Amino acid sequence: MADSKGTNITWHQGHVERKDREKLLSQRGATLWLTGLSGSGKSTVAVAAEKALLQRGHLAYVLDGDNVRHGLNKNLGFSPEDRTENIRRIAEVAKLFTDAGVIALTSFISPYRADRDAARAIFAPGDFVEIHVSTALETCESRDPKGLYKKARAGQIPEFTGISAPYEAPERPELVLDTGALSVEESVAALLRYLEEKGTLSA
Amino acid sequence: MADSKGTNITWHQGHVERKDREKLLSQRGATLWLTGLSGSGKSTVAVAAEKALLQRGHLAYVLDGDNVRHGLNKNLGFSPEDRTENIRRIAEVAKLFTDAGVIALTSFISPYRADRDAARAIFAPGDFVEIHVSTALETCESRDPKGLYKKARAGQIPEFTGISAPYEAPERPELVLDTGALSVEESVAALLRYLEEKGTLSA
């Protein structure tokens, strides 16, 4: 390299590659893309899966509204263009985490098929795992943990997914989790079983 | 939680915290922000440090033009606003990696003090390590690995840092590495020594 003075350097020849990091971590990098209605249980499952993975010695990281909307994406609003850009940036960041060898879990409603397909398209095959948290609207609305459905029904929130804006369900998700039928443990168990079968949890 | 059916769940109580991930990785998360002229050796040092860290069992990840400019920041140009937004997004992503427990190394010219200070401002004290790769302009220009200085001198690249656009050197960087005086090994050794002294390499 032009800016190396040494000639007997062996340890910096060649870049670290993803597989080197994956070997260190004893896992494969992956992005688990959770999509579903508000109140469907995406974040609960993501956070519980992160914990279950950590307890098995795996490095996982949740990207969600808390750490993305107020940081990287704080200059985005809710126009159609901004919503698309929101999902695009999340996908690009999740791709970086995947390349770093981390199991990234993204927890965003991501209601539009085109946006999710565009996210999938930037990943290598197998790296992007679409998980439809398919909990029925009625169940989500009855939970209404943030009181958003009530406000949406009252017309106080325009374009609320499932009420006044569409949710386009995935056509071929890698995994479907209905938290109306499955407990959080069962959902996490199904998710981990999928990762085990795909070889994500060893490298 | 509203969307948990189980009542005897202990393993998903409480979120995974940064310190849990850091314990798993036996390191502290940090962002090593390398700044310096084109050809100063930022990327060479970053890549070599990533490798040295990996060989010691640490997870590091380089954010640079290769994986950021063509991905997350591909919709940004070179206007002043876009340059600032470029650095802002990189800082936000590095912050996420730091929170994940990873040692992130960013390798960008990042010529403006205001942009770097804005980057530092989003981090907790100690998490952001500004490393000035202070290699002299003449040395960088004599290396000219991509032929960019030649083009800039010929007026073919407008606003080229160090030639036709300013480079605002850090006033109080945590570390200064002059790759005109230090070999790559020496630079990496200095960087690792700093991390050891700060306790980054244990958790």
Side-chain angles (χ1 to χ4, degrees):
Chain A
M1 292 177 203
D3 42 352
S4 164
K5 286 175 71 186
T7 52
N8 58 347
I9 300 161
T10 55
W11 52 267
H12 86 281
Q13 299 286 336
H15 293 203
V16 174
E17 293 176 19
R18 172 174 165 180
K19 65 175 168 47
D20 303 316
R21 288 184 288 266
E22 291 179 332
K23 192 175 172 191
L24 176 74
L25 293 169
S26 300
Q27 68 186 35
R28 304 262 172 84
T31 287
L32 314 183
W33 189 281
L34 283 75
T35 171
L37 296 169
S38 178
S40 63
K42 296 181 300 301
S43 284
T44 303
V45 170
V47 163
E50 181 188 30
K51 186 145 191 175
L53 285 164
L54 187 91
Q55 292 186 338
R56 292 174 180 217
H58 292 290
L59 183 64
Y61 189 67
V62 174
L63 297 166
D64 60 15
D66 287 342
N67 57 15
V68 170
R69 259 286 176 197
H70 304 295
L72 178 65
N73 290 357
K74 71 177 179 182
N75 55 359
L76 296 175
F78 292 92
S79 70
E81 297 75 21
D82 278 10
R83 285 176 187 268
T84 294
E85 173 67 4
N86 180 50
I87 297 301
R88 188 192 73 80
R89 289 189 198 169
I90 292 160
E92 291 286 2
V93 171
K95 186 185 177 187
L96 291 170
F97 273 94
T98 301
D99 187 48
V102 179
I103 299 169
L105 298 124
T106 67
S107 175
F108 298 90
I109 298 173
S110 49
Y112 297 112
R113 206 170 283 140
D115 291 343
R116 294 194 308 267
D117 287 350
R120 180 189 290 271
I122 68 168
F123 286 83
D127 282 354
F128 183 90
V129 180
E130 192 172 12
I131 301 174
H132 183 198
V133 184
S134 64
T135 317
L137 175 62
E138 305 77 63
T139 307
C140 298
E141 191 165 358
S142 70
R143 291 172 178 168
D144 205 9
K146 301 172 192 167
L148 296 174
Y149 283 98
K150 200 178 170 193
K151 285 187 185 174
R153 290 286 184 196
Q156 291 164 17
I157 304 177
E159 298 196 59
F160 191 79
T161 300
I163 303 297
S164 46
Y167 176 77
E168 299 174 355
E171 289 176 330
R172 283 184 298 279
E174 275 77 3
L175 202 60
V176 178
L177 300 173
D178 175 359
T179 70
L182 299 175
S183 69
V184 176
E185 305 101 302
E186 288 166 342
S187 299
V188 170
L191 200 159
L192 266 59
R193 203 159 50 236
Y194 178 88
L195 297 180
E196 273 165 5
E197 285 170 10
K198 289 293 173 181
T200 307
L201 303 186
S202 57
Chain B
M1 291 178 205
D3 41 353
S4 165
K5 285 174 72 185
T7 52
N8 57 347
I9 299 162
T10 55
W11 53 267
H12 86 280
Q13 299 286 336
H15 292 205
V16 174
E17 292 177 20
R18 172 174 164 180
K19 65 175 168 46
D20 302 317
R21 289 184 289 266
E22 291 179 331
K23 192 175 174 191
L24 176 73
L25 292 170
S26 299
Q27 68 185 35
R28 303 261 173 85
T31 287
L32 314 183
W33 189 280
L34 283 73
T35 171
L37 297 168
S38 177
S40 63
K42 295 181 301 299
S43 283
T44 303
V45 170
V47 163
E50 181 188 30
K51 187 145 191 176
L53 285 164
L54 186 91
Q55 292 185 339
R56 293 175 179 215
H58 292 290
L59 183 64
Y61 189 66
V62 175
L63 296 166
D64 60 14
D66 287 344
N67 57 15
V68 171
R69 259 287 176 196
H70 304 296
L72 178 65
N73 290 356
K74 71 177 179 183
N75 55 0
L76 296 175
F78 293 92
S79 69
E81 297 75 20
D82 278 10
R83 284 176 188 269
T84 294
E85 173 68 3
N86 180 50
I87 297 301
R88 188 193 73 80
R89 289 189 198 168
I90 292 160
E92 291 286 2
V93 172
K95 186 184 177 187
L96 292 170
F97 272 95
T98 300
D99 187 48
V102 179
I103 299 169
L105 297 126
T106 67
S107 175
F108 297 89
I109 298 173
S110 48
Y112 297 112
R113 206 171 283 140
D115 290 344
R116 294 193 308 268
D117 287 350
R120 180 189 290 271
I122 67 168
F123 286 84
D127 281 355
F128 182 90
V129 180
E130 192 173 13
I131 301 174
H132 183 199
V133 184
S134 65
T135 316
L137 175 62
E138 306 77 60
T139 307
C140 298
E141 190 165 359
S142 70
R143 290 171 179 169
D144 206 10
K146 299 173 193 166
L148 296 175
Y149 282 98
K150 201 178 168 191
K151 284 187 185 173
R153 291 285 185 197
Q156 292 165 19
I157 305 176
E159 298 196 58
F160 191 81
T161 300
I163 304 296
S164 46
Y167 177 78
E168 300 174 355
E171 290 177 330
R172 284 184 298 279
E174 275 77 2
L175 202 60
V176 178
L177 300 173
D178 175 358
T179 70
L182 299 174
S183 69
V184 176
E185 304 101 304
E186 289 166 343
S187 299
V188 170
L191 200 159
L192 265 61
R193 203 159 48 234
Y194 178 87
L195 296 180
E196 274 165 5
E197 287 170 7
K198 290 292 171 181
T200 307
L201 303 186
S202 58

